[in-house]
Amino acid sequence: MLNRLLPAGLALVLAACSTSSFPDVDVPQRRASYTGDLPAMRTFSTPRAAPTWRSNAQLAADFIELSFQMESGRKLPQFSRFEGPVTLAVKGSAPASLTGDLTRLVSRLRSEARIDIRMAPPGTAQPSITVQIVPKRELQRLVPQAACFVVPRVASWSEFRKARRSRTVDWASLGERQQIAVFLPGDVSPQEVRDCLHEEIAQALGPLNDLYRLPDSVFNDDNFHTVLTGFDMLMLRAYYDPSLRSGMSQAQVAARLPAILNRINPAGNRGGAGHTSYTPRAWIDSIETALGPKARPAARLDAAKRAVNISRAQGWRDNRAAFSLYALGRLSLSAEPELSLASFLEASRLYRNNPETQIQAAHVAMQLAAFSLSSGQADGTIGLIDEVLPAVRRAENAALLSTLLLLKAEAYELMGRQPQAAAVRTEALGWARYGFGADSVVRARAGEISALTPTRRASVN
């Protein structure tokens, strides 16, 4: 069994290798460094978003829950959106990668969601959406838990600071969207900047809620999806359908949704009533404690175990059940490695059985590949990775892609296949520069993964 051969330091390395979507476990880490040359940064080009698999009846239920409720559970009294063309401008010291990623996003919103959105001409007095670049430290001093966020009725950071405790920035009081600000850090990795652009601009335009039960959406706090999916674009297209308008009640919107969805998504015209599966607040609180930054490691682990128990009591076999197990697998790496491996294996089975959760399955495969590599099973490591690489490329997750390719390169090294190892490592490092950013971080990640290989562990110990 893989867990029998698990080295004591693997938990520390895996925590460091996880993508920025999830907090690392608070444990000391011995960091190695990669000392070779770094290739040019790789970037994604043509988007490959897959269409959603759900019926229009289910999509209508999803739309209502996303659009008439905040993440806190607070109800929204009316539907709101921009009426007319939407313009977008950037303020502040934008990183070099932002222009290309924002241009691609705007193009997708125009072609896939059919929204009349474009970059504002220079000198535009009041663009519809202002993307303001703020240093990460300053942003989190005001909103500690947020990597980035979106606010109504302001156009600058200074305006937000003055209005942040007032009704001005209350989404529930909004009848029509006219001026929205997106605040994001510029001193983070290119992927984190892009991810913020996708999620926050999508919320500036449309739904304000996040639902853990959605398997294929950025409107989900599990953060597996980092760019707008086919489901997300369909929700936004419905949001800006001519049959809807700002100020409508939930009942009015619900009455018009079937015709809208039947027209824009004919593939979803199949039987079955739409229904939503309630997510208990106790499960959400347990997940937020497990993956949040405040609790001690033991409390996080206990919270993950509670989440798994709640999901089993609910009878779930969906992505929430798998996510509970994934969280437990990550948080039990150091203290209970056998439980960790069992949790990852069960999460993998659940995710792989659903065509809408293949990127989630890839995250679990990364953890299992690290177990496999650490136990010297090079063929198994490569098999696990090759199976999920297409899904990772479709999802445009460079951080995960680079980690998987670095693991694959180490497996090739273990097999004595140096030319293949060198080629895969070069590609991995190119993606790592986009996914992780600073050269020092890229080198540290590569060094940590290299330390998983049994021969290298033996030489260090």
Side-chain angles (χ1 to χ4, degrees):
M1 293 292 291
L2 295 180
N3 57 312
R4 184 169 55 84
L5 301 171
L6 178 66
L10 177 59
L12 314 186
V13 177
L14 274 183
C17 289
S18 302
T19 68
S20 59
S21 299
F22 303 97
D24 290 345
V25 181
D26 288 337
V27 291
Q29 298 175 13
R30 179 179 63 186
R31 293 182 176 269
S33 292
Y34 171 80
T35 57
D37 294 333
L38 295 180
M41 179 189 297
R42 287 178 176 253
T43 58
F44 297 97
S45 53
T46 305
R48 294 179 288 178
T52 184
W53 291 60
R54 291 195 288 289
S55 70
N56 284 343
Q58 182 58 57
L59 293 171
D62 295 337
F63 187 99
I64 292 298
E65 193 170 355
L66 284 169
S67 304
F68 285 92
Q69 186 169 303
M70 302 287 290
E71 290 182 59
S72 63
R74 184 184 181 193
K75 300 292 185 180
L76 293 170
Q78 58 193 354
F79 181 74
S80 71
R81 70 178 187 188
F82 290 101
E83 302 293 342
V86 180
T87 55
L88 194 152
V90 178
K91 294 174 64 174
S93 300
S97 63
L98 183 143
T99 299
D101 283 332
L102 183 55
T103 299
R104 290 181 71 233
L105 173 58
V106 170
S107 176
R108 286 191 63 199
L109 290 168
R110 291 179 62 84
S111 63
E112 296 176 45
R114 311 289 176 87
I115 297 174
D116 185 2
I117 182 172
R118 65 192 69 240
M119 299 304 297
T124 300
Q126 185 176 308
S128 310
I129 301 173
T130 301
V131 177
Q132 171 95 53
I133 312 301
V134 182
K136 181 178 181 179
R137 180 177 297 180
E138 184 176 353
L139 185 150
Q140 294 194 331
R141 186 161 54 238
L142 260 64
V143 188
Q145 304 303 320
C148 42
F149 58 96
V150 59
V151 180
R153 297 195 185 103
V154 299
S156 69
W157 184 246
S158 60
E159 286 184 24
F160 167 67
R161 293 185 63 175
K162 293 176 184 176
R164 66 191 181 103
R165 291 190 174 92
S166 73
R167 187 173 171 79
T168 299
V169 294
D170 180 7
W171 286 99
S173 68
L174 202 62
E176 177 185 335
R177 304 185 196 187
Q178 296 178 327
Q179 189 174 53
I180 306 289
V182 169
F183 300 112
L184 58 86
D187 50 348
V188 293
S189 73
Q191 178 166 318
E192 189 170 345
V193 172
R194 181 209 62 189
D195 296 353
C196 281
L197 287 173
H198 276 247
E199 181 163 2
E200 304 309 327
I201 289 176
Q203 292 200 310
L205 291 166
L208 299 169
N209 197 5
D210 281 335
L211 301 173
Y212 277 107
R213 63 178 175 77
L214 295 177
D216 59 342
S217 177
V218 301
F219 300 116
N220 186 329
D221 276 333
D222 66 13
N223 291 334
F224 280 117
H225 285 279
T226 57
V227 299
L228 292 173
T229 66
F231 170 90
D232 300 328
M233 288 297 183
L234 188 64
M235 289 291 102
L236 289 169
R237 185 174 174 185
Y239 228 84
Y240 283 83
D241 190 90
S243 299
L244 302 181
R245 65 177 183 275
S246 294
M248 281 185 165
S249 68
Q250 178 174 324
Q252 289 173 317
V253 171
R256 300 194 182 192
L257 274 177
I260 293 172
L261 291 169
N262 289 343
R263 183 175 67 255
I264 68 175
N265 187 45
N269 292 330
R270 52 185 184 270
H275 67 278
T276 59
S277 174
Y278 172 68
T279 304
R281 188 70 231 180
W283 181 86
I284 295 174
D285 290 343
S286 296
I287 285 292
E288 290 180 350
T289 298
L291 297 177
K294 293 183 178 180
R296 295 180 180 274
R300 290 179 179 176
L301 179 56
D302 287 343
K305 290 178 179 179
R306 282 198 306 276
V308 169
N309 289 335
I310 292 170
S311 74
R312 287 174 175 160
Q314 292 290 319
W316 292 338
R317 301 295 295 169
D318 61 6
N319 57 297
R320 291 169 297 181
F323 187 50
S324 305
L325 291 160
Y326 175 77
L328 179 58
R330 285 196 58 201
L331 290 164
S332 59
L333 274 166
S334 294
E336 301 179 55
E338 291 187 0
L339 174 63
S340 176
L341 180 57
S343 299
F344 283 136
L345 289 170
E346 189 176 349
S348 178
R349 282 192 291 271
L350 291 172
Y351 281 140
R352 290 174 63 188
N353 285 339
N354 185 345
E356 294 180 308
T357 54
Q358 296 311 294
I359 187 60
Q360 291 92 328
H363 278 271
V364 181
M366 182 268 287
Q367 301 284 354
L368 294 174
F371 274 94
S372 180
L373 178 66
S374 71
S375 63
Q377 300 179 34
D379 285 336
T381 301
I382 292 172
L384 283 164
I385 292 168
D386 284 347
E387 183 180 359
V388 300
L389 284 178
V392 179
R393 294 184 193 276
R394 283 195 302 272
E396 301 188 23
N397 191 325
L400 179 58
L401 179 57
S402 66
T403 301
L404 289 166
L405 290 173
L406 286 168
L407 287 164
K408 185 176 180 179
E410 292 301 323
Y412 276 137
E413 290 274 8
L414 197 59
M415 299 168 73
R417 298 170 63 178
Q418 277 74 25
Q420 292 94 329
V424 171
R425 186 175 291 108
T426 296
E427 181 185 357
L429 293 171
W431 290 118
R433 298 191 77 179
Y434 184 86
F436 295 117
D439 287 359
S440 60
V441 178
V442 171
R443 292 180 186 280
R445 298 282 175 171
E448 289 160 353
I449 293 172
S450 177
L452 284 172
T453 307
T455 53
R456 292 202 172 94
R457 287 204 316 274
S459 67
V460 171
N461 294 334

